[in-house]
Every structure is written in C-alpha cells, then in structure tokens.
C-alpha cells in the first residue's frame, strides 16, 4: 500500500516563516479568531484523520470505482463511513461562515488541508472541494432565507453541493448552453436540460445534493450575457428545512474515466426541476466565477498533493532499490549494490519532483493569502491590490501548479523503472489522477488565454505592473537574499516580454493566442523565483539562528532552492526565445495540411 505523511513541517515553514501568517491574520477582519497555535492544531488533526481514514481507501476506491444501480450512484466501499467521520468532525465547514455553523478558517489554512486531502485520496477530496465552492457562492449571492436553509446543512455535511456548467455540445463556450429556466408562477423556476461531467452529481454520501446550475431564462440575450444561475436540489426542501419529494433531478450515467474513479462524474438530467434564482438574472456566469476562482486554486493544489504523495513513495522505493555502484565506487560496500539514489540521474529526477512540489506549496500559499486579503482586509487599498494579484495569478495557480504536479507524478513514476508501470506500486494511479487537473475547471490552455486576454491585454499590463512593483519592493528591502540578482533578472525578462507582446497584439490578432501558454509558464517561473528567494533567505536565517524547524530542514531547503535556480529557472531563457518568435511560424501551417 502507498505511504503518505502530511508535510506539516514544510507547511508550517511556508505559512508562518515565509508568509508571516499570524501577523497577517491579526490585520484581517476574519470571521473567526485564528493564530499559529490554532492553525497547527487544526492541521495536525487534519493530518491524522486524512492518513487514518483516506489513504487506505485510495487504491481500493480506484479499483472499485463508482456504480450506477437503478438510477442511483454508489461510491466505493468505505467512502460513506469515511465521509461521515469527516462531516461529524466539522471538516465540511472548515472555511464556512460561523454565523451558519462554519469554522471561519482563512484560505491560507484551508489550502494546506486541501493538499493533504488530495494527496491521500483525490477522488474523495473532490466531494468536499465542490461543496466548499458551492457554500462560498451561496454565502455571497443567495438571499438570507436560502442561506439559512442551505448553509448549515452544507457545512454539517448533511448535504453536498455541486456546480453544473458543461453540456454535451459546449464546454468552454458556455454562451451556447441550452438548459432552460421557465418561471413556475410560484416565485421559482422549472429547470430543464442536461449537463455532463458533473463531479458529485449523484452519490450515496448525503441525503440531498444542492446543484448550482447555469441556465437561460426565456428573455435571455444571446451568448454568455444571457446566462443565469439557479440552485436546484436533488430533493425539494420545505420551508422548515425538511426534505420533500424528488425534484426531477436524474443521473443518466457515469463517465468511464482515466482516473479519479472513486469520484462520481455524472451525466445529469433536469426534468422540470424546481430551482431558485441565485444572484441577478443574466449574471450567472459572473456569479459562478466566484466559485470557480476558488476551485481553480484548489485544483492546482490537487496537482501539488499528488506530486507530494508520488514523491514520498518514489523516494521510499529508491532508498531500498539496489542497482549497480555509485560512479566513484561502492557507497555501501557491505551491500551487493548501492541504492539507486547514489546515481546522479536518479537524484536529478528526485530533486526535480521535490523542487516543483515545494515551489508549488509556496505559490499556492501566497495566492491563498492574497485571497484572504482580498476578502477580509480592513484597508480598501490593500484589498484592491490583493484583488488585482488574485485576478492575475488565479489562472497561473491552476495551470502552472497542475502542469508541474502532473510532471512530478510522471518523473516520480520513472524512478521505479518497470515497477512504476505496474498497478501494485501505486505510481501509475497518481499519474492518472493528476492528469484531469490539467483539463477540468477550464483547461490549462483556456487558463493561459484568460491570462493574456483578460488579465494582460485588457488592462494593458496594469496587473503585471502591480506584481512587479510588489516583487521589487522585496528586492529593495533585502527579502530576496542570496538570489536577489536572479529575481531581478527575471523581472526584467518579464517586463521585456510583456511590452513586446502587448505591442504585437495591436497589429496581429494571433499574437496573444500564440504566446498564451509560454507567457503563463514565464510568469509562473518568475513568481516561483521570487518566492523561492524568500524561502531561501528565511531558511538561511533559520540555520544561523537555530530555528524551530531544525538544522537538517533548513539545509535541505537551501539545497532544493539551489536546484530550482540552477536547473529549473533557466527554462525562462528558452521561453523568452519562443515568445520572441511570434505567431507567424505557428499559423503558417494550413488547416487542410493537418
């Protein structure tokens, strides 16, 4: 069976030492009081329950999968009992509003719990992830009556939430949806249509499921400007909160997938189902993006969690696997051969995975902190600045972290040699489960297009300028330590590329699209360089001051930081060359020639 130990020491290092969480939380109007001691207690208990309840169900859930029997979905053996343990422990409401029974924990903290969930059992984690997003959306946009009726049940894990966007004929272009919402004469709406790829669309974990469904009203304008959002429960909810009759919500089938087989991915039919309008008419897409922006960061963290468990298991194998002798002679002469970690190329693979994982943890934590600032900071200017950073980096957080997470699982699998291709070692499941994170919640190509279109070109680089100003402030204050010069070089590269791209975009309608992926990669590397420089400075200080994480931890952190700057960051040089090439060569191939 796979092994997993939650990386609590590194999570604490990022949260408290690099991002200064405790001081940060004191400056925010958080809905609950939280300090470093409480955060540590929450994550220690979270680690215990994740390792005890979920890890053993990961491989068995993958083998069994979900089943559709007589129109109802059954989750794999053990999922229902594990979910009840999590719900009874209050984990479904960890980030929820305390006014409705939630815990009120900040995003920076809940993201760390998300990573542990995804590492131990991604399929199980997805039920909780969708619920968190649905509850957040309802808290911000539902009326008081709806919030009082639904939020306590979602936070308690009595019910779970989903989001229903995609239809068989449209994915990214949601303006093409055909699901209709007809006024029912009683203040509600009758929802009719079909949705596909609905995570948690049906299951046996809870007695009700709250679907958030995009549909069009009879008077809706064409395209995405005509989309509205509706809350459609699987079973009707009476005025007193009790459950009523079935609501015309039917699971039409389960998708047969490459991975995440314990997660019920459903085809859903709404057959005149009773729904409640959430937010304003024709503003459903903007409303839904409240949920999706939080989900996109979480899906990036899915890649991180799987990269972490893939690393831990690959290293456990590599320590024991004996193969040949070290290049300089026997490192362990008492053994018939040396462990494969003595070989430089094996160490390259191991450090490649570890550096991407630890960089992703820094990046996710930073974006989580900015989300907290954007939502809870008492200063309007600080809140606005954080909103700009979140807008810019959300597509990067989703795409760059999930891309590197998948890379991490593949490289970790390679460490096993042929064993990694065999199911009993678990490595191939990590690869399969990580692959979907690059696709759902908006494919990574769409994230790149969002970055260069909405977040760069639309405001002529203003968001990028704000980020550059933030990083330059750290450079001037000495926060970037030994690697300050490397970070300064990357900022100059980012500014050069940004200016050139914006100039080309004025005359070439293919300029942004041809540059999107490479620009996202470059921005991701730049932010990683900044955050790694901060982490290296903190680790150096911790080493000098005999900090709480211990000498070994700080020395290891400095070695991994060095690997990032020497081996991973130089990719930015080739990205600049690719971006300088422009769109002409890419678009020269005629469609008929493909």
């Amino acid at each position: 069976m796979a092994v997993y130990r939650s990386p609590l020491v590194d999570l604490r290092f990022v949260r408290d030492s690099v991002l200064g969480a405790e001081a940060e939380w004191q400056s925010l109007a958080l809905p609950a009081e939280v300090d470093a001691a409480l955060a540590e207690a929450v994550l220690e208990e979270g680690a215990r329950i994740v390792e005890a309840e979920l890890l053993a169900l990961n491989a068995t859930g993958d083998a069994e999968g979900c089943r559709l029997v007589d129109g109802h979905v059954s989750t794999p053996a053990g999922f229902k009992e594990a979910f009840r343990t999590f719900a009874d422990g209050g984990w479904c409401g960890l980030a929820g509003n305390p006014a409705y029974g939630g815990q009120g924990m900040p995003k920076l903290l809940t993201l760390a719990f998300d990573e542990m969930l995804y590492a131990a059992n991604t399929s199980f984690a997805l039920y909780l992830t969708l619920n968190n997003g649905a509850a957040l959306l309802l808290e911000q946009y539902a009326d008081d009556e709806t919030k009082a009726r639904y939020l306590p049940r979602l936070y308690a894990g009595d019910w779970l939430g989903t989001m229903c966007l995609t239809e068989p004929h449209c994915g990214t272009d949601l303006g093409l949806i055909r699901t209709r919402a007809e006024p029912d004469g009683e203040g509600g709406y009758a929802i009719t249509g079909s949705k596909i790829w609905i995570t948690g669309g049906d299951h046996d974990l809870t007695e009700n499921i709250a679907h958030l469904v995009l549909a069009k009203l009879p008077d809706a304008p064409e395209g995405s400007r005509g989309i509205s959002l509706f809350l459609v429960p699987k079973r009707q909810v009476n005025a007193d909160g009790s459950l009523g009759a079935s609501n015309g919500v039917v699971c039409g089938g389960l998708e047969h997938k490459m991975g995440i087989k314990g997660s019920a991915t459903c085809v859903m039919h709404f057959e005149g189902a009773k729904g409640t309008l959430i937010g304003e008419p024709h503003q459903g897409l903007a409303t839904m993006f409240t949920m999706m922006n939080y989900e996109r960061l979480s899906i990036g963290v899915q890649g991180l969690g799987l990269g972490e468990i893939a690393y831990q298991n690959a290293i456990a194998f590599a320590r024991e696997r004996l193969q040949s002798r070290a290049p300089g002679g026997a490192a362990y002469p008492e053994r018939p051969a040396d462990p494969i970690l003595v070989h430089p190329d094996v160490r390259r693979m191991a450090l490649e995975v570890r550096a991407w994982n630890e960089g992703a943890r820094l990046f996710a934590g930073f974006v989580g902190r900015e989300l907290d600032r954007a939502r809870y900071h008492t200063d309007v200017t600080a809140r606005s600045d954080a909103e700009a950073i979140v807008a810019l980096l959300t597509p990067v957080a989703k795409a760059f972290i999930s891309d590197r997470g998948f890379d991490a699982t593949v490289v970790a699998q390679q460490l096993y040699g042929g064993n990694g291709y065999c199911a009993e070692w678990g490595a191939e499941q990590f690869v399969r489960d990580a692959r979907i994170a690059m696709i759902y919640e908006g494919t990574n190509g769409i994230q790149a297009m969002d970055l260069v279109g909405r977040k760069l070109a639309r405001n002529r680089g203003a968001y990028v300028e704000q980020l550059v100003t933030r990083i330059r402030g750290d450079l001037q204050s000495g926060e970037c330590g030994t690697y300050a010069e490397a970070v300064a070089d990357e900022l100059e590269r980012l500014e050069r590329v940004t200016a050139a791209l914006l100039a080309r975009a004025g005359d070439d309608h293919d300029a942004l699209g041809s540059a999107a992926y490479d620009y996202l990669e470059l921005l991701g590397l730049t932010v990683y360089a900044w955050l790694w420089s901060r982490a290296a400075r903190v680790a150096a200080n911790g080493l000098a001051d005999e900090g709480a994480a211990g000498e070994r931890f700080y020395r290891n952190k400095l070695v991994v930081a060095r690997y990032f700057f020497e081996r991973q960051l130089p990719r930015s040089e080739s990205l600049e060359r690719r971006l300088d090439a422009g769109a002409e060569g890419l678009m020269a191939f005629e469609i008929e020639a493909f």
Side-chain angles (χ1 to χ4, degrees), residues 370-391:
E370 295 303 297
L371 277 167
D372 287 332
R373 284 182 173 180
R375 191 175 182 191
Y376 297 119
H377 208 290
T378 55
D379 181 77
V380 174
T381 301
R383 202 160 56 241
S384 177
D385 289 346
E387 288 170 353
I389 296 295
V390 167

Side-chain angles (χ1 to χ4, degrees), residues 36 47 69 75 163 216 227 240 246 254 295 320 326 366 413 429 437 452 463 513 515 522 533 539 574:
V69 181
T75 53
M163 64 178 184
K216 289 192 172 183
I227 299 174
D240 63 358
S246 295
L254 285 171
E295 297 297 311
E320 301 299 325
F366 171 70
Q413 183 189 36
Q429 184 191 344
V452 298
Y463 287 163
L522 181 66
S533 71
S574 64

Side-chain angles (χ1 to χ4, degrees), residues 389-566:
I389 296 295
V390 167
L392 176 67
L393 294 184
T394 291
V396 186
K398 193 276 183 182
F400 195 77
I401 300 179
S402 64
D403 275 350
R404 299 294 81 75
F406 179 70
D407 292 346
T409 63
V410 172
V411 175
Q413 183 189 36
Q414 189 73 12
L415 277 161
Y416 294 83
N419 292 298
Y421 201 68
C422 298
E424 60 263 31
W425 292 90
E428 57 85 35
Q429 184 191 344
F430 304 144
V431 174
R432 289 186 288 107
D433 285 352
R435 185 65 182 89
I436 185 58
M438 304 161 75
I439 298 172
Y440 57 14
E441 297 296 340
T443 67
N444 287 359
I446 291 298
Q447 302 303 317
M449 289 298 297
D450 175 54
L451 173 66
V452 298
R454 293 188 178 92
K455 313 302 171 54
L456 176 65
R458 187 171 292 182
N459 66 11
R460 305 301 298 171
Y463 287 163
V464 175
E465 289 179 15
Q466 284 183 260
L467 177 65
V468 168
T469 299
R470 173 88 66 94
I471 298 173
R472 283 226 164 89
D474 267 10
L475 289 170
Q476 292 166 1
S477 66
E479 292 291 318
C480 295
T482 303
Y483 296 107
E485 184 176 346
V487 175
D489 289 344
E490 293 308 313
L491 283 185
E492 291 176 5
R493 187 189 318 280
L494 179 64
E495 289 178 311
R496 282 196 307 272
V497 166
T498 300
L501 179 57
L502 288 174
R504 285 199 303 272
D507 300 321
D508 182 356
H509 59 266
D510 291 320
L512 292 176
S514 67
Y517 176 80
D518 291 329
Y519 188 83
L520 186 147
E521 292 277 302
L522 181 66
L523 181 55
L525 280 170
T526 302
V527 178
Y528 271 48
W530 170 45
L531 295 171
W532 263 119
S533 71
R534 289 173 57 103
R537 181 192 61 81
V538 173
N541 290 344
L543 191 61
D545 299 339
E546 299 181 352
E551 178 183 353
R552 184 177 182 182
F553 174 87
Y554 295 124
R555 288 194 184 280
N556 289 342
K557 183 65 68 175
L558 290 169
V559 171
V560 180
R562 179 180 177 181
Y563 182 89
F564 171 82
F565 281 98
E566 290 183 353

Side-chain angles (χ1 to χ4, degrees), residues 65-76 80 127 198 200-206 209 234 250-255 261-268:
C66 294
R67 292 166 292 129
L68 180 62
V69 181
D70 297 329
H72 300 285
V73 175
S74 297
T75 53
K80 189 188 301 185
Y127 295 103
I198 307 307
D202 195 68
H203 52 73
D204 57 1
L205 302 179
T206 58
I209 301 172
K234 178 181 178 180
V250 178
C251 178
L254 285 171
E255 306 290 355
K261 295 186 177 182
S263 172
T265 307
C266 304
V267 176
M268 299 301 300

Side-chain angles (χ1 to χ4, degrees), residues 14 48 76 82 111 113 150 179 197 248 272 282 296 312 317 340 361 385 411 417 436 467 513 518 567 574 576 579:
V14 171
R48 186 196 66 77
L111 272 177
F113 182 60
Y150 280 84
T179 300
W197 304 335
H282 316 314
R296 284 173 172 169
Q312 291 188 21
F317 175 88
I340 60 174
R361 194 168 291 126
D385 289 346
V411 175
I436 185 58
L467 177 65
D518 291 329
R567 296 286 187 129
S574 64
E576 183 174 15
L579 286 158

